[in-house]
Amino acid sequence: MNDQLPGKSADALPDRLRYQPFYCEENIWWLCAEPPPAVCLEQVIFIASPCGLCPIAEQRAADADGVAWWDYHCVGLDAERRIWDLDSRLSLPVAASSWLDRSFPQADDWPTPLQPLFRLIPRAAYLQDFRSDRSHMRNADGSWMQPPPPWSCIGFSYSSDPDSSRLDRYRDLSKHEGPGVVLDLAGLRAFCS
């Protein structure tokens, strides 16, 4: 973990934040559970597209063209309508309107299969319900695709169903089933304004 004030580049995260690259849903879970002083996330937002690849600009893991092609991504939205994207090159936090404009430039012109969708889940519901066993981060031979976080898997210490990961319920936005509500880009812009 790192230490600096909000509003700084996400390249230098505050010490109090738990962060592991490529584990955005866990990073946001911990930001909900252990927020910095005076920070209170209201919503957790999962981002995906109908085709299963969602281009997001301004990400630290971006390709040479400046875009990361995530299968899904996860960020937080606070009471002041600021986005907490621990994988972004933008400031932390950043106004939701700026984050949307910079992360999805010209998205309105993208083909339908690439159009981003957003699942909004209230913070308390996410903390209570979310579980991941990290199996989505393993190769067929059992090796890690990316190094795992140093902390235990999220949600299994209090679960009555220890073998059930719930990540797919959150990251699959092709169906509107699952926790929270699913919005398109225009819907999220309206929600954040």
Side-chain angles (χ1 to χ4, degrees), residues 1 13 16 43 49 67 70 76-77 112 136 141 145 147 161:
M1 295 196 254
L13 296 172
R16 292 177 294 272
Q43 301 283 327
S49 71
V67 175
W70 297 116
L77 178 69
T112 301
H136 68 291
D141 66 1
M145 293 177 195
D161 184 9

Side-chain angles (χ1 to χ4, degrees), residues 70-84:
W70 297 116
D71 51 346
Y72 69 95
H73 190 46
C74 185
V75 300
L77 178 69
D78 69 18
E80 296 179 44
R81 295 300 188 241
R82 299 176 305 178
I83 295 289
W84 290 76

